[in-house]
Amino acid sequence: MNPVWQTLLVILISFCASFIQRVSGFGFGIFAITFLPYIMGTYGEANILSTMLALSMSLSVAVRLFRSVDLKNLIFPLVGCAVSTYVAVNLIKTGADAIVKLMLGAVLVLLSMYFLFFADRIHIRATRSAGLIAGVLSGILGGLFSMGGPPVVVYYMESEKDPKTYMATIQAYFALSNIYSVGVKLSAGFAGANTFVFFAVGLVGVAAGVLVGSRIFDKMDGAKIRKAVCVIMAVSGLFNCADAISSLVG
């Protein structure tokens, strides 16, 4: 792909992903990893770029709200995440892109179905074991697909009833888990020659998306935005599955 078009598309994807998360409360990694594999040279490079950009967004919020973070409630999710992230990243390292793309497609479809039909019906007890399990699942999804949010969102919504504490704690979790994830993915060789260049230009999109999303937050219907994202996820997931199957049988 032409480098100019590649750069513009990275900025656009970063803008849309950060805008969606600012308006709806979730979705940066889900949206970004839906499109970045088609832009970057390899799936691994798309994965680490998405993680780095998501880190920049969560870190800024976590630093601003640090005094409201429930530090004790970070321990078990982060322990679970650390172990499973390492395992998941090494699975990608040894797997073929077509297989990973097929898995990504299946996960996108399943997540879209969850958010559309089951998110408001599923509740869990906020125990230490639940936090550990949420962290393990988050690490698997984050390591494989750079979308580790859904399991810990469910956990922290049950364990942190104060909105400010919830936001501060989950963003601190995302910041710390993504710092670790970036380190593991760098050591696994996911970064390409231009990864950090695209990260730098992607930050422009992230900043613009947050700014625009903040200014029109009160005028947007977050529920409709979430549903639109889920539809995009489902369509992209089906396309990924079809593309991967075509590559495997061809």
Side-chain angles (χ1 to χ4, degrees):
M1 180 179 291
N2 184 290
V4 174
W5 279 109
Q6 202 173 11
T7 300
L8 292 175
L9 287 171
V10 168
I11 293 174
L12 178 61
I13 292 168
S14 302
F15 170 82
C16 293
S18 58
F19 173 82
I20 288 168
Q21 179 146 325
R22 180 63 186 87
V23 173
S24 69
F26 85 103
F28 186 98
I30 292 172
F31 184 89
I33 202 62
T34 298
F35 297 102
L36 283 178
Y38 300 105
I39 310 302
M40 309 306 295
T42 64
Y43 177 81
E45 189 174 7
N47 187 305
I48 192 172
L49 178 60
S50 175
T51 304
M52 291 166 65
L53 291 170
L55 167 61
S56 68
M57 188 172 186
S58 59
L59 186 60
S60 64
V61 179
V63 170
R64 190 167 66 249
L65 300 177
F66 178 75
R67 292 186 178 182
S68 299
V69 175
D70 184 351
L71 294 175
K72 291 183 179 179
N73 203 12
L74 289 173
I75 297 173
F76 285 92
L78 285 174
V79 169
C81 177
V83 175
S84 59
T85 295
Y86 181 82
V87 173
V89 167
N90 280 278
L91 283 175
I92 296 179
K93 187 178 178 181
T94 57
D97 274 7
I99 298 294
V100 176
K101 185 177 287 188
L102 180 61
M103 294 168 60
L104 172 62
V107 169
L108 285 171
V109 172
L110 290 173
L111 282 177
S112 66
M113 295 301 102
Y114 166 77
F115 282 117
L116 282 171
F117 302 113
F118 303 109
D120 296 330
R121 304 178 187 179
I122 297 177
H123 300 280
I124 63 171
R125 294 179 60 192
T127 62
R128 290 179 176 178
S129 58
L132 186 65
I133 293 170
V136 169
L137 294 175
S138 174
I140 293 171
L141 291 176
L144 289 175
F145 313 117
S146 187
M147 53 172 75
V152 288
V153 167
V154 174
Y155 169 72
Y156 281 120
M157 285 182 68
E158 294 296 328
S159 62
E160 301 292 353
K161 298 302 182 182
D162 178 71
K164 188 174 182 179
T165 304
Y166 161 78
M167 180 59 68
T169 305
I170 196 168
Q171 294 303 323
Y173 168 84
F174 286 144
L176 292 170
S177 62
N178 280 333
I179 288 172
Y180 174 77
S181 183
V182 168
V184 173
K185 291 172 184 178
L186 283 173
S187 66
F190 282 14
N194 296 315
T195 299
F196 291 97
V197 174
F198 287 123
F199 171 65
V201 299
L203 289 178
V204 176
V206 169
V210 171
L211 178 62
V212 175
S214 299
R215 291 192 173 183
I216 65 174
F217 174 75
D218 294 332
K219 301 176 183 179
M220 299 294 293
D221 188 329
K224 290 183 179 179
I225 293 291
R226 283 192 291 271
K227 288 182 179 179
V229 172
C230 289
V231 172
I232 293 172
M233 284 168 55
V235 172
S236 176
L238 292 172
F239 182 82
N240 270 280
C241 287
D243 189 37
I245 292 172
S246 176
S247 298
L248 289 171
V249 300

mmCIF file of all heavy atoms in Angstrom, residues 25-58:
data_model
loop_
_atom_site.group_PDB
_atom_site.id
_atom_site.type_symbol
_atom_site.label_atom_id
_atom_site.label_comp_id
_atom_site.label_asym_id
_atom_site.label_seq_id
_atom_site.Cartn_x
_atom_site.Cartn_y
_atom_site.Cartn_z
ATOM 1 N N GLY A 25 -17.923 4.693 25.648
ATOM 2 C CA GLY A 25 -17.310 4.109 26.828
ATOM 3 C C GLY A 25 -16.492 2.865 26.571
ATOM 4 O O GLY A 25 -15.833 2.352 27.474
ATOM 5 N N PHE A 26 -16.497 2.331 25.370
ATOM 6 C CA PHE A 26 -15.668 1.167 25.048
ATOM 7 C C PHE A 26 -15.445 1.132 23.533
ATOM 8 O O PHE A 26 -16.040 1.897 22.785
ATOM 9 C CB PHE A 26 -16.346 -0.140 25.487
ATOM 10 C CG PHE A 26 -17.317 -0.697 24.475
ATOM 11 C CD1 PHE A 26 -16.967 -1.763 23.689
ATOM 12 C CD2 PHE A 26 -18.578 -0.132 24.298
ATOM 13 C CE1 PHE A 26 -17.850 -2.283 22.737
ATOM 14 C CE2 PHE A 26 -19.468 -0.640 23.368
ATOM 15 C CZ PHE A 26 -19.110 -1.718 22.589
ATOM 16 N N GLY A 27 -14.550 0.228 23.106
ATOM 17 C CA GLY A 27 -14.478 -0.049 21.682
ATOM 18 C C GLY A 27 -13.221 0.360 20.949
ATOM 19 O O GLY A 27 -13.110 0.094 19.750
ATOM 20 N N PHE A 28 -12.216 0.972 21.631
ATOM 21 C CA PHE A 28 -11.036 1.417 20.887
ATOM 22 C C PHE A 28 -10.338 0.241 20.212
ATOM 23 O O PHE A 28 -10.158 0.213 18.989
ATOM 24 C CB PHE A 28 -10.044 2.148 21.795
ATOM 25 C CG PHE A 28 -8.887 2.746 21.039
ATOM 26 C CD1 PHE A 28 -8.901 4.078 20.702
ATOM 27 C CD2 PHE A 28 -7.802 1.975 20.631
ATOM 28 C CE1 PHE A 28 -7.845 4.643 19.975
ATOM 29 C CE2 PHE A 28 -6.754 2.513 19.908
ATOM 30 C CZ PHE A 28 -6.776 3.850 19.585
ATOM 31 N N GLY A 29 -9.921 -0.748 21.034
ATOM 32 C CA GLY A 29 -9.188 -1.877 20.477
ATOM 33 C C GLY A 29 -10.019 -2.695 19.508
ATOM 34 O O GLY A 29 -9.517 -3.176 18.489
ATOM 35 N N ILE A 30 -11.306 -2.849 19.831
ATOM 36 C CA ILE A 30 -12.192 -3.626 18.967
ATOM 37 C C ILE A 30 -12.281 -3.002 17.583
ATOM 38 O O ILE A 30 -12.186 -3.686 16.561
ATOM 39 C CB ILE A 30 -13.593 -3.747 19.604
ATOM 40 C CG1 ILE A 30 -13.520 -4.611 20.870
ATOM 41 C CG2 ILE A 30 -14.598 -4.339 18.622
ATOM 42 C CD1 ILE A 30 -14.799 -4.632 21.659
ATOM 43 N N PHE A 31 -12.478 -1.680 17.537
ATOM 44 C CA PHE A 31 -12.596 -1.003 16.245
ATOM 45 C C PHE A 31 -11.260 -1.002 15.510
ATOM 46 O O PHE A 31 -11.196 -1.299 14.310
ATOM 47 C CB PHE A 31 -13.089 0.432 16.438
ATOM 48 C CG PHE A 31 -13.328 1.164 15.153
ATOM 49 C CD1 PHE A 31 -14.564 1.113 14.525
ATOM 50 C CD2 PHE A 31 -12.324 1.910 14.555
ATOM 51 C CE1 PHE A 31 -14.798 1.776 13.325
ATOM 52 C CE2 PHE A 31 -12.536 2.580 13.353
ATOM 53 C CZ PHE A 31 -13.775 2.509 12.741
ATOM 54 N N ALA A 32 -10.184 -0.671 16.223
ATOM 55 C CA ALA A 32 -8.877 -0.538 15.573
ATOM 56 C C ALA A 32 -8.405 -1.852 14.964
ATOM 57 O O ALA A 32 -7.940 -1.889 13.820
ATOM 58 C CB ALA A 32 -7.845 -0.014 16.570
ATOM 59 N N ILE A 33 -8.536 -2.954 15.714
ATOM 60 C CA ILE A 33 -8.026 -4.224 15.205
ATOM 61 C C ILE A 33 -8.935 -4.793 14.117
ATOM 62 O O ILE A 33 -8.531 -5.700 13.378
ATOM 63 C CB ILE A 33 -7.863 -5.247 16.353
ATOM 64 C CG1 ILE A 33 -6.865 -6.349 15.971
ATOM 65 C CG2 ILE A 33 -9.192 -5.836 16.759
ATOM 66 C CD1 ILE A 33 -5.473 -5.878 15.696
ATOM 67 N N THR A 34 -10.124 -4.256 13.973
ATOM 68 C CA THR A 34 -10.995 -4.665 12.879
ATOM 69 C C THR A 34 -10.420 -4.244 11.528
ATOM 70 O O THR A 34 -10.568 -4.950 10.527
ATOM 71 C CB THR A 34 -12.400 -4.058 13.057
ATOM 72 O OG1 THR A 34 -12.971 -4.548 14.280
ATOM 73 C CG2 THR A 34 -13.326 -4.429 11.904
ATOM 74 N N PHE A 35 -9.719 -3.086 11.503
ATOM 75 C CA PHE A 35 -9.261 -2.525 10.234
ATOM 76 C C PHE A 35 -7.742 -2.505 10.053
ATOM 77 O O PHE A 35 -7.260 -2.595 8.923
ATOM 78 C CB PHE A 35 -9.793 -1.093 10.087
ATOM 79 C CG PHE A 35 -11.299 -1.019 10.037
ATOM 80 C CD1 PHE A 35 -12.024 -0.637 11.145
ATOM 81 C CD2 PHE A 35 -11.985 -1.368 8.881
ATOM 82 C CE1 PHE A 35 -13.411 -0.588 11.105
ATOM 83 C CE2 PHE A 35 -13.370 -1.318 8.825
ATOM 84 C CZ PHE A 35 -14.085 -0.931 9.940
ATOM 85 N N LEU A 36 -6.987 -2.381 11.146
ATOM 86 C CA LEU A 36 -5.531 -2.243 11.013
ATOM 87 C C LEU A 36 -4.846 -3.426 10.310
ATOM 88 O O LEU A 36 -3.859 -3.207 9.593
ATOM 89 C CB LEU A 36 -4.897 -2.016 12.393
ATOM 90 C CG LEU A 36 -5.028 -0.612 12.969
ATOM 91 C CD1 LEU A 36 -4.406 -0.536 14.361
ATOM 92 C CD2 LEU A 36 -4.388 0.442 12.047
ATOM 93 N N PRO A 37 -5.320 -4.673 10.477
ATOM 94 C CA PRO A 37 -4.648 -5.764 9.755
ATOM 95 C C PRO A 37 -4.648 -5.610 8.240
ATOM 96 O O PRO A 37 -3.785 -6.159 7.556
ATOM 97 C CB PRO A 37 -5.458 -7.010 10.181
ATOM 98 C CG PRO A 37 -5.975 -6.663 11.527
ATOM 99 C CD PRO A 37 -6.310 -5.197 11.438
ATOM 100 N N TYR A 38 -5.607 -4.846 7.709
ATOM 101 C CA TYR A 38 -5.643 -4.625 6.260
ATOM 102 C C TYR A 38 -4.681 -3.511 5.831
ATOM 103 O O TYR A 38 -4.384 -3.369 4.648
ATOM 104 C CB TYR A 38 -7.059 -4.250 5.821
ATOM 105 C CG TYR A 38 -8.085 -5.312 6.132
ATOM 106 C CD1 TYR A 38 -8.973 -5.156 7.188
ATOM 107 C CD2 TYR A 38 -8.155 -6.485 5.388
ATOM 108 C CE1 TYR A 38 -9.917 -6.131 7.490
ATOM 109 C CE2 TYR A 38 -9.084 -7.472 5.681
ATOM 110 C CZ TYR A 38 -9.958 -7.282 6.733
ATOM 111 O OH TYR A 38 -10.881 -8.258 7.038
ATOM 112 N N ILE A 39 -4.210 -2.729 6.804
ATOM 113 C CA ILE A 39 -3.365 -1.568 6.508
ATOM 114 C C ILE A 39 -1.885 -1.895 6.721
ATOM 115 O O ILE A 39 -1.025 -1.484 5.943
ATOM 116 C CB ILE A 39 -3.747 -0.365 7.397
ATOM 117 C CG1 ILE A 39 -5.258 -0.107 7.354
ATOM 118 C CG2 ILE A 39 -2.971 0.875 6.984
ATOM 119 C CD1 ILE A 39 -5.797 0.145 5.973
ATOM 120 N N MET A 40 -1.587 -2.641 7.790
ATOM 121 C CA MET A 40 -0.203 -2.903 8.164
ATOM 122 C C MET A 40 0.343 -4.112 7.406
ATOM 123 O O MET A 40 -0.395 -4.886 6.797
ATOM 124 C CB MET A 40 -0.101 -3.133 9.671
ATOM 125 C CG MET A 40 -0.772 -2.044 10.502
ATOM 126 S SD MET A 40 -0.187 -0.368 10.102
ATOM 127 C CE MET A 40 1.512 -0.474 10.619
ATOM 128 N N GLY A 41 1.642 -4.292 7.485
ATOM 129 C CA GLY A 41 2.285 -5.363 6.746
ATOM 130 C C GLY A 41 1.944 -6.749 7.259
ATOM 131 O O GLY A 41 1.782 -7.695 6.482
ATOM 132 N N THR A 42 1.844 -6.905 8.589
ATOM 133 C CA THR A 42 1.544 -8.204 9.192
ATOM 134 C C THR A 42 0.494 -8.024 10.282
ATOM 135 O O THR A 42 0.277 -6.917 10.780
ATOM 136 C CB THR A 42 2.791 -8.846 9.824
ATOM 137 O OG1 THR A 42 3.235 -8.018 10.921
ATOM 138 C CG2 THR A 42 3.911 -8.972 8.804
ATOM 139 N N TYR A 43 -0.129 -9.146 10.661
ATOM 140 C CA TYR A 43 -1.113 -9.079 11.745
ATOM 141 C C TYR A 43 -0.437 -8.675 13.052
ATOM 142 O O TYR A 43 -0.991 -7.908 13.840
ATOM 143 C CB TYR A 43 -1.812 -10.430 11.926
ATOM 144 C CG TYR A 43 -2.775 -10.413 13.084
ATOM 145 C CD1 TYR A 43 -4.049 -9.872 12.949
ATOM 146 C CD2 TYR A 43 -2.391 -10.889 14.331
ATOM 147 C CE1 TYR A 43 -4.918 -9.812 14.018
ATOM 148 C CE2 TYR A 43 -3.255 -10.832 15.411
ATOM 149 C CZ TYR A 43 -4.524 -10.297 15.249
ATOM 150 O OH TYR A 43 -5.375 -10.230 16.318
ATOM 151 N N GLY A 44 0.778 -9.195 13.306
ATOM 152 C CA GLY A 44 1.491 -8.853 14.528
ATOM 153 C C GLY A 44 1.740 -7.361 14.651
ATOM 154 O O GLY A 44 1.605 -6.784 15.733
ATOM 155 N N GLU A 45 2.097 -6.712 13.543
ATOM 156 C CA GLU A 45 2.351 -5.270 13.573
ATOM 157 C C GLU A 45 1.056 -4.508 13.829
ATOM 158 O O GLU A 45 1.044 -3.523 14.581
ATOM 159 C CB GLU A 45 2.977 -4.814 12.260
ATOM 160 C CG GLU A 45 3.465 -3.376 12.301
ATOM 161 C CD GLU A 45 4.219 -2.970 11.046
ATOM 162 O OE1 GLU A 45 4.250 -3.752 10.086
ATOM 163 O OE2 GLU A 45 4.780 -1.857 11.036
ATOM 164 N N ALA A 46 -0.047 -4.943 13.232
ATOM 165 C CA ALA A 46 -1.339 -4.307 13.489
ATOM 166 C C ALA A 46 -1.732 -4.471 14.953
ATOM 167 O O ALA A 46 -2.263 -3.546 15.586
ATOM 168 C CB ALA A 46 -2.413 -4.919 12.591
ATOM 169 N N ASN A 47 -1.448 -5.630 15.515
ATOM 170 C CA ASN A 47 -1.793 -5.926 16.903
ATOM 171 C C ASN A 47 -1.058 -5.004 17.865
ATOM 172 O O ASN A 47 -1.665 -4.392 18.749
ATOM 173 C CB ASN A 47 -1.445 -7.399 17.183
ATOM 174 C CG ASN A 47 -1.909 -7.872 18.543
ATOM 175 O OD1 ASN A 47 -1.580 -7.284 19.562
ATOM 176 N ND2 ASN A 47 -2.651 -8.964 18.568
ATOM 177 N N ILE A 48 0.258 -4.893 17.702
ATOM 178 C CA ILE A 48 1.019 -4.068 18.637
ATOM 179 C C ILE A 48 0.716 -2.579 18.451
ATOM 180 O O ILE A 48 0.670 -1.816 19.420
ATOM 181 C CB ILE A 48 2.544 -4.327 18.529
ATOM 182 C CG1 ILE A 48 3.267 -3.683 19.718
ATOM 183 C CG2 ILE A 48 3.112 -3.834 17.208
ATOM 184 C CD1 ILE A 48 4.739 -4.048 19.803
ATOM 185 N N LEU A 49 0.454 -2.151 17.220
ATOM 186 C CA LEU A 49 0.111 -0.747 16.988
ATOM 187 C C LEU A 49 -1.209 -0.405 17.674
ATOM 188 O O LEU A 49 -1.330 0.645 18.319
ATOM 189 C CB LEU A 49 0.018 -0.459 15.494
ATOM 190 C CG LEU A 49 -0.382 0.977 15.108
ATOM 191 C CD1 LEU A 49 0.634 1.981 15.656
ATOM 192 C CD2 LEU A 49 -0.491 1.106 13.592
ATOM 193 N N SER A 50 -2.189 -1.280 17.570
ATOM 194 C CA SER A 50 -3.468 -1.058 18.236
ATOM 195 C C SER A 50 -3.281 -0.977 19.750
ATOM 196 O O SER A 50 -3.863 -0.113 20.419
ATOM 197 C CB SER A 50 -4.440 -2.187 17.889
ATOM 198 O OG SER A 50 -5.653 -2.054 18.601
ATOM 199 N N THR A 51 -2.451 -1.858 20.304
ATOM 200 C CA THR A 51 -2.201 -1.865 21.745
ATOM 201 C C THR A 51 -1.513 -0.582 22.189
ATOM 202 O O THR A 51 -1.859 0.004 23.227
ATOM 203 C CB THR A 51 -1.335 -3.079 22.132
ATOM 204 O OG1 THR A 51 -1.974 -4.276 21.686
ATOM 205 C CG2 THR A 51 -1.154 -3.161 23.639
ATOM 206 N N MET A 52 -0.539 -0.113 21.416
ATOM 207 C CA MET A 52 0.185 1.112 21.764
ATOM 208 C C MET A 52 -0.731 2.329 21.739
ATOM 209 O O MET A 52 -0.665 3.200 22.626
ATOM 210 C CB MET A 52 1.361 1.302 20.800
ATOM 211 C CG MET A 52 2.472 0.280 20.984
ATOM 212 S SD MET A 52 3.659 0.265 19.604
ATOM 213 C CE MET A 52 4.384 1.898 19.753
ATOM 214 N N LEU A 53 -1.595 2.403 20.738
ATOM 215 C CA LEU A 53 -2.512 3.540 20.644
ATOM 216 C C LEU A 53 -3.541 3.510 21.765
ATOM 217 O O LEU A 53 -3.886 4.548 22.347
ATOM 218 C CB LEU A 53 -3.197 3.543 19.279
ATOM 219 C CG LEU A 53 -2.288 3.867 18.092
ATOM 220 C CD1 LEU A 53 -3.009 3.596 16.775
ATOM 221 C CD2 LEU A 53 -1.826 5.326 18.147
ATOM 222 N N ALA A 54 -4.048 2.303 22.087
ATOM 223 C CA ALA A 54 -5.000 2.177 23.200
ATOM 224 C C ALA A 54 -4.333 2.570 24.516
ATOM 225 O O ALA A 54 -4.957 3.189 25.383
ATOM 226 C CB ALA A 54 -5.524 0.747 23.272
ATOM 227 N N LEU A 55 -3.060 2.212 24.671
ATOM 228 C CA LEU A 55 -2.307 2.574 25.866
ATOM 229 C C LEU A 55 -2.243 4.084 26.033
ATOM 230 O O LEU A 55 -2.433 4.607 27.141
ATOM 231 C CB LEU A 55 -0.897 1.988 25.791
ATOM 232 C CG LEU A 55 0.129 2.503 26.802
ATOM 233 C CD1 LEU A 55 -0.318 2.209 28.220
ATOM 234 C CD2 LEU A 55 1.499 1.861 26.530
ATOM 235 N N SER A 56 -1.985 4.799 24.956
ATOM 236 C CA SER A 56 -1.867 6.264 25.044
ATOM 237 C C SER A 56 -3.162 6.889 25.542
ATOM 238 O O SER A 56 -3.140 7.865 26.311
ATOM 239 C CB SER A 56 -1.495 6.843 23.674
ATOM 240 O OG SER A 56 -2.561 6.697 22.755
ATOM 241 N N MET A 57 -4.295 6.326 25.151
ATOM 242 C CA MET A 57 -5.582 6.877 25.571
ATOM 243 C C MET A 57 -5.874 6.557 27.035
ATOM 244 O O MET A 57 -6.245 7.434 27.820
ATOM 245 C CB MET A 57 -6.686 6.340 24.673
ATOM 246 C CG MET A 57 -8.028 6.995 24.899
ATOM 247 S SD MET A 57 -9.232 6.485 23.662
ATOM 248 C CE MET A 57 -10.597 7.570 24.116
ATOM 249 N N SER A 58 -5.693 5.292 27.434
ATOM 250 C CA SER A 58 -6.012 4.897 28.805
ATOM 251 C C SER A 58 -5.052 5.516 29.811
ATOM 252 O O SER A 58 -5.453 5.876 30.928
ATOM 253 C CB SER A 58 -5.991 3.372 28.934
ATOM 254 O OG SER A 58 -4.731 2.849 28.583
#
